[in-house]
């Protein structure tokens, strides 16, 4: 989708600010932020300063308006479209749209990531995570099937969770048509997308398979029932706020929903045995940090191979900021490396 004149100007302005000498960026960002024995990265603090000055809210008002705000804000930070990556539009069962990303030169029979974008089950699209999907495809050397699952409140819980399972089943059944190896299919996503990936892995495993070979969970939301310490520490002024989280969840899990249902709160499942190996990344300055790390511990206790990586100097949402480089790109590069290893051919 072509960028608007305004978004091009904003992107140029951001690139200029982030290209300034370190001392100038520090002057704009302000004094170093240290909380819970963690220091916020300079570029993360700089972007947070600019975001807070803009007073653009992630949530609030009508969902349609919030979706437009997210799309406008992310155009500036996503960066130049990553190439060479070819795309093909795909329709999953029940008319569910998806985009298949294939890096240039990738042979058939590759690994495949079924990817679910973040956005609190209410906002976000394949387009908002286009460069994220391209980056993962190219850096991990896999195909990526990015899914346009149904959003709340128009389609409340469990619609998105059902779509996640449907998308994996489609990818497995149509692996040959997608150019993928059915035995090397991962599920993954960020935030609410990480929630959907975890749910898909649990549902498919508990029914006896077929199930994913790997999970890529980036700052996942996995417990809708409990407020943890990280939410109290970072629930204000760190991009994703306590107010945002309440707004998102109230739209997705509407009155009458049991929020302890593992399809909404996968951390509360009773059996974690046999789940696919996982890479779980959390952000140090993120309200979701502690529940993501609790999920990693649950997997570890059940004997599931899991790599937990806390990006201690970043905040929620870094996968959409790779156009700014630095720590944002480094963190996503680590995730791509984990995906590459997780979907590598077995001897």
């Amino acid at each position: 989708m072509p960028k608007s004149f305004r978004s091009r100007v904003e992107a140029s302005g951001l690139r200029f600010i982030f290209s300034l000498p370190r001392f100038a960026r520090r002057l704009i960002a302000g004094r170093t932020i240290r909380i819970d024995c963690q220091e916020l990265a300079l570029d993360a603090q700089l972007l947070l300063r600019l975001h807070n000055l803009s007073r653009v809210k992630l949530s609030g008002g009508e969902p349609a308006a919030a979706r437009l705000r997210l799309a406008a804000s992310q155009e500036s930070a996503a960066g130049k479209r990553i190439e060479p990556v070819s795309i093909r539009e795909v329709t999953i069962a029940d008319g569910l749209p998806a985009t298949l990303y294939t890096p240039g030169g990738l042979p058939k029979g590759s690994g495949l990531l079924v990817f679910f974008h973040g956005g609190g089950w209410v906002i976000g699209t394949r387009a908002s995570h286009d460069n994220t999907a391209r980056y993962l495809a190219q850096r991990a050397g896999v195909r990526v099937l990015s899914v346009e699952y149904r959003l709340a409140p128009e389609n409340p819980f469990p619609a998105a969770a059902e779509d996640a399972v449907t998308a994996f089943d489609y990818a497995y059944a149509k692996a040959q048509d997608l150019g993928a190896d059915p035995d090397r299919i991962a599920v993954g996503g960020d935030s609410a997308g990480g929630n959907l990936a975890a749910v898909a892995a649990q549902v498919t495993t508990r029914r006896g398979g077929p199930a994913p070979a790997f999970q890529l969970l980036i700052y996942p939301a996995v417990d809708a029932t409990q407020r943890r310490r990280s939410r109290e520490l970072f629930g204000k002024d760190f991009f994703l706020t306590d107010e945002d989280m309440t707004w998102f969840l109230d739209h997705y899990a509407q009155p009458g929903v049991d929020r302890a249902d593992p399809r909404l709160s996968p951390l509360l499942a009773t059996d974690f045995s046999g789940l696919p190996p996982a890479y779980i990344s959390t952000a140090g300055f993120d309200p979701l940090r502690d529940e993501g790390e609790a999920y990693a511990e649950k997997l570890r206790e059940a004997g599931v191979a899991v790599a937990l990586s806390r990006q201690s100097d970043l905040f929620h949402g870094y996968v959409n900021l790779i156009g700014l480089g630095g720590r944002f790109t480094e963190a996503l590069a680590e995730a791509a490396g984990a995906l590459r290893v997780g979907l590598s051919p077995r001897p």
Side-chain angles (χ1 to χ4, degrees):
M1 180 181 299
K3 291 187 176 183
S4 65
F5 174 74
R6 178 177 177 178
S7 67
R8 291 197 300 270
V9 171
E10 289 175 347
S12 296
L14 268 180
R15 286 195 298 270
F16 172 74
I17 291 172
F18 275 77
S19 69
L20 292 171
R22 182 179 177 85
F23 78 89
R25 284 180 287 137
R26 173 54 68 193
L27 284 174
I28 298 171
R31 295 180 61 182
T32 302
I33 295 176
R34 295 185 179 89
I35 300 176
D36 201 27
C37 301
Q38 303 172 135
E39 181 176 312
L40 192 61
L42 171 57
D43 284 349
Q45 187 174 335
L46 177 60
L47 184 63
L48 196 64
R49 172 76 168 170
L50 298 173
H51 172 76
N52 290 339
L53 286 173
S54 74
R55 299 189 178 183
V56 174
K57 296 183 66 176
L58 193 60
S59 66
E62 291 298 317
R67 291 164 189 161
L68 289 175
R69 290 198 302 270
L70 177 70
S73 66
Q74 291 194 337
E75 274 191 81
S76 302
K80 185 179 179 182
R81 181 177 294 171
I82 295 170
E83 300 287 5
V85 178
S86 66
I87 62 170
R88 172 158 65 98
E89 296 307 307
V90 174
T91 301
I92 296 172
D94 302 323
L96 195 65
T99 301
L100 178 67
Y101 294 84
T102 303
L106 186 68
K108 288 188 176 182
S110 71
L112 171 72
L113 169 67
V114 182
F115 181 77
F116 309 106
H117 65 78
W121 309 279
V122 178
I123 62 176
T125 62
R126 288 173 292 163
S128 69
H129 285 62
D130 175 71
N131 236 20
T132 303
R134 289 170 177 271
Y135 186 94
L136 289 171
Q138 194 175 80
R139 286 301 187 98
V142 300
R143 287 169 166 82
V144 173
L145 185 67
S146 183
V147 181
E148 197 78 78
Y149 59 86
R150 290 172 290 171
L151 297 178
E154 297 90 342
N155 300 280
F157 173 84
E162 292 171 348
D163 288 350
V165 175
T166 297
F168 171 77
D169 287 343
Y170 172 87
Y172 185 87
K174 300 292 186 180
Q176 185 173 359
D177 294 342
L178 298 173
D181 178 350
D183 295 323
R184 291 194 289 139
I185 298 177
V187 289
D190 64 306
S191 195
N195 168 277
L196 298 177
V199 169
Q202 287 192 7
V203 170
T204 54
T205 299
R206 295 283 76 84
R207 73 182 182 190
F214 189 72
Q215 304 177 73
L216 185 77
L217 310 180
I218 301 176
Y219 39 79
V222 291
D223 187 359
T225 68
Q226 184 177 337
R227 298 178 65 91
R228 288 177 169 76
R229 180 169 172 268
S230 58
R231 185 162 174 173
E232 303 303 329
L233 286 174
F234 309 112
K236 185 178 180 182
D237 297 330
F238 288 98
F239 185 64
L240 177 67
T241 68
D242 178 76
E243 183 181 358
D244 293 331
M245 292 174 69
T246 299
W247 187 85
F248 288 133
L249 193 56
D250 286 350
H251 279 82
Y252 183 50
Q254 294 178 7
V257 168
D258 176 9
R259 295 192 173 185
D261 187 324
R263 294 173 300 164
L264 177 61
S265 299
L267 181 62
L268 304 186
T270 56
D271 185 3
F272 293 84
S273 63
L275 288 173
Y279 168 85
I280 300 178
S281 176
T282 61
F285 290 77
D286 184 354
L288 292 174
R289 183 193 70 186
D290 290 356
E291 62 191 78
E293 295 180 3
Y295 196 73
E297 184 58 29
K298 284 283 190 180
L299 294 179
R300 187 175 292 114
E301 290 173 354
V304 176
V306 57
L308 171 64
S309 178
R310 179 191 291 188
Q311 307 295 325
S312 62
D313 56 349
L314 295 180
F315 52 73
H316 190 92
Y318 64 74
V319 303
N320 295 105
L321 304 174
I322 55 176
L324 302 177
R327 280 292 296 124
F328 308 119
T329 304
E330 289 172 6
L332 190 58
E334 181 184 289
L339 180 61
R340 178 184 286 273
V341 172
L343 289 184
S344 59
R346 298 294 182 260

